[in-house]
Amino acid sequence: MSADLPHLALRIDGARLLDRLQALAQIGAYQGPNGEPGCSRLALTDADRAGRDLVVSFMREQGLQIRIDAIGNVLAIRPDHRGRVEQPVLAGSHIDTVRTGGRYDGNLGVLAGLSAIEAVARAGIATRRPLAVAFFTNEEGARFSPDMLGSLVYAGGLPLDEAYGIRGIDGATVGDELRRIGYAGSAACPGPVPAAYVELHIEQGPVLEAAGLRIGAVTGVQGISWQEITITGQSNHAGTTPMALRHDAGYAAARVATFVRELACELGPPQVGTVGQITLFPGLVNVIPATAKLTVDLRHTDEQSLQQAEARLREFAARLAQQEGVQITSRSLARFAPVAFDPQMIALIESTAQRLGASTQRMPSGAGHDAQMMARLCPAGMIFTPSQRGISHNPAECTAPDDLILGANILLQVMLTLAQSEALLPSP
Ligand code: GLV
Ligand code: MN
Ligand code: MN
C-alpha cells in the first residue's frame, strides 16, 4: 500500500492524551503491592459504567455522533465532507480491564483514537470518509467468557441473545448487567461494516523493548483456546485415608497444571499454556478435595499446532481420570483460530511509522484483541508501542509517555491516509 501523507506534520495533542489516560485510570484505581498505579474495571461493573460515562463525555466534548449498540459497544463518529457517517475509518479498543490491570491496556487505543479525530477536526480537514472511534464491551473476558465479546457480536460471530445469557464469574448475566449500567443501547448488532479498522495497543510483551524498537506493525493474532476443567473426586478425612485409596480432585488439578506447563515447554515457542485459576471444594486443611475447577489458556500462532496441544491435554486428562479414579470434564470458554491481518494495512502501518521516524518491526500479537474480530468485516491492522519490562495485566504495566504519543500520531496518520486516499480503499 503506497500512500501520500499530505498532512504529515499534523500531530495529536500529546498533553491532552496523557491527561485523559490519567483521568480514566483514576476510575477503578488501586495500588499494587509496591504502590504501582493499577486499574481494576471489570466489564459491566459500576467502575466500567463510570469509565464509559467519562469516555462518552470526551466524545460529546468533541461533538461526535454517538451510537450505542445492543451489546454496549460505543461508537463515536465524525461525518465525512458530505455529512455521511457510513463506512468510517474506525479506530478502537476497549476500556474494561482484568481485575489486576494497568492503565494502558485497551484505554490507549480508545483515547488515542479520540485524539486523532480531534487533531483532524482542529486542523479543519474535511475527510472523504468518516472517522470514528469505538470501545467494545468485555474485551478482557476476565468477568464474562469469551473475551472480545463486544467485537465478536459486532462482527456477527455470536448472536445477541446468546451473548446476553452468558453468566460471569459472579453469576450475573451480560444482559442483566448491560441493562443495569444503562449501556444496552438501541443500535443493531451485528454492526455496520467500517471501511477499515486500526487499533493502537501496548505490546504487553518484551519484544520491542528488547530489540530497542519503538513500533510494532502487527501481522496477526495467535489462536486462543480457553477451557474450564472440572474434576470430581471424593472428599474424605485427610488423616485417616491411606494415600493409595484417595480420589483427590486437588491432586489431579495440580497434575493438570503441571502438565500444561510441561506441554508448552516441550512443544516450544510460540506455544504457551497457563492455568490461571484453581478452585478447590470444600477447601479445608483437613479434607481431601471433592472437586476442583481450573482454567486452561492455550495459545499458538498456528491452528494445527493449537489443535495438537488441545488433543494432548485431552489424552492426559483421560489417563489421569483413570489413574486417580476421578471424573474429568471440560467446557470451552473461548476458542478463536489465529488471525492474519490485511497485508496492505500492515504495510501502511509500517511505512507510516517509518515516515514519522520510528524504528519498526513486524510481529504477531500474543494477546487477543478486538482487531481480530473486526478483521472478519474489513481490512484491519494494529500498531504496538513498547511495554516496559514486557509487563501487562499487572498494575506495573507502563509505556513511556513519548511512546504513547508516538503511537497515537502514527494512528492519526494511518487513519487520515485511509480516510483520504482514493487508492487504498474502494470509493465511499
Ligand atoms: C485478552 O485480552 C487476552 O489476550 O487474554
Ligand atoms: Mn487489550
Ligand atoms: Mn488485556
Side-chain angles (χ1 to χ4, degrees):
M1 226 184 228
S2 72
D4 292 335
L5 298 177
H7 301 285
L8 193 59
L10 194 64
R11 292 289 180 269
I12 62 128
D13 181 337
R16 183 137 204 227
L17 172 61
L18 298 181
D19 281 353
R20 283 178 165 179
L21 280 164
Q22 184 59 20
L24 184 51
Q26 294 317 301
I27 300 171
Y30 75 99
Q31 293 210 330
N34 300 308
E36 304 91 336
C39 198
S40 183
R41 278 198 313 272
L42 284 177
L44 309 185
T45 56
D46 289 346
D48 186 25
R49 167 171 43 195
R52 286 165 171 265
D53 290 350
L54 181 68
V55 176
V56 168
S57 77
F58 296 155
M59 291 167 164
R60 286 198 207 291
E61 261 172 47
Q62 287 184 210
L64 303 176
Q65 292 189 22
I66 296 172
R67 189 157 66 194
I68 305 178
D69 72 18
I71 193 69
N73 300 319
V74 178
L75 218 109
I77 310 172
R78 178 177 188 259
D80 71 6
H81 64 122
R82 286 191 271 176
R84 289 174 309 191
V85 294
E86 292 79 25
Q87 291 191 288
V89 171
L90 178 62
S93 201
H94 60 98
I95 62 166
D96 66 312
T97 75
V98 295
R99 197 193 297 284
T100 54
R103 294 167 292 170
Y104 303 116
D105 177 358
N107 304 304
L108 173 63
V110 176
L111 296 179
L114 271 170
S115 292
I117 296 174
E118 183 184 45
V120 175
R122 236 185 20 234
I125 301 166
T127 51
R128 284 183 70 241
R129 291 187 185 78
L131 294 176
V133 58
F135 60 83
F136 294 100
T137 295
N138 186 55
E139 188 276 346
E140 292 291 4
R143 186 178 181 205
F144 302 99
S145 294
D147 49 351
M148 284 86 69
L149 180 68
S151 46
L152 178 68
V153 172
Y154 188 102
L158 186 72
L160 188 61
D161 56 341
E162 268 183 51
Y164 278 178
I166 291 170
R167 227 166 253 290
I169 52 176
D170 47 14
T173 65
V174 166
D176 286 346
E177 287 296 88
L178 266 174
R179 285 184 282 270
R180 185 185 70 78
I181 69 164
Y183 274 89
S186 55
C189 291
V193 175
Y197 177 81
V198 198
E199 182 164 350
L200 169 66
H201 206 284
I202 55 168
E203 179 201 332
Q204 308 182 270
V207 173
L208 288 173
E209 187 180 65
L213 300 172
R214 294 192 69 194
I215 290 292
V218 184
T219 50
V221 179
Q222 64 181 345
I224 299 176
S225 165
W226 285 0
Q227 42 189 307
E228 179 187 72
I229 293 182
T230 302
I231 304 173
T232 310
Q234 188 182 52
S235 71
N236 208 335
H237 196 290
T240 62
T241 315
M243 298 310 285
L245 297 182
R246 295 181 179 213
H247 306 287
D248 184 340
Y251 171 67
R255 290 278 306 272
V256 172
T258 306
F259 177 78
V260 166
R261 163 90 186 186
E262 288 173 355
L263 176 69
C265 292
E266 178 202 317
L267 297 175
Q271 179 68 58
V272 287
T274 306
V275 170
Q277 194 187 34
I278 301 183
T279 315
L280 302 181
F281 179 83
L284 299 168
V285 65
N286 55 354
V287 181
I288 296 165
T291 60
K293 268 191 199 299
L294 63 155
T295 57
V296 178
D297 174 323
L298 295 171
R299 306 195 197 200
H300 200 290
T301 48
D302 173 64
E303 173 61 22
Q304 275 200 335
S305 306
L306 186 55
Q307 285 181 17
Q308 244 170 46
E310 291 173 317
R312 290 275 303 270
L313 177 58
R314 265 197 309 277
E315 286 157 20
F316 177 79
R319 269 199 318 276
L320 182 66
Q322 229 178 11
Q323 282 165 11
E324 295 303 318
V326 296
Q327 262 196 330
I328 304 184
T329 58
S330 143
R331 175 170 81 94
S332 175
L333 298 176
R335 182 63 170 85
F336 300 117
V339 171
F341 288 141
D342 182 275
Q344 291 198 309
M345 291 288 286
I346 301 167
L348 175 65
I349 286 165
E350 185 177 54
S351 63
T352 306
Q354 287 165 359
R355 288 178 80 167
L356 264 63
S359 49
T360 65
Q361 165 171 328
R362 291 188 178 205
M363 59 191 295
S365 170
H369 295 292
D370 293 308
Q372 77 194 81
M373 299 307 164
M374 298 309 283
R376 299 179 181 197
L377 294 181
C378 62
M382 290 190 75
I383 307 161
F384 272 176
T385 54
S387 289
Q388 291 179 359
R389 295 183 293 138
I391 289 176
S392 185
H393 284 185
N394 180 315
E397 178 182 281
C398 194
T399 293
D402 282 355
D403 287 335
L404 297 169
I405 294 168
L406 175 66
N409 278 318
I410 292 164
L411 177 68
L412 160 65
Q413 292 296 332
V414 169
M415 288 178 76
L416 200 46
T417 303
L418 289 166
Q420 298 297 62
S421 160
E422 299 193 22
L424 299 181
L425 298 169
S427 281

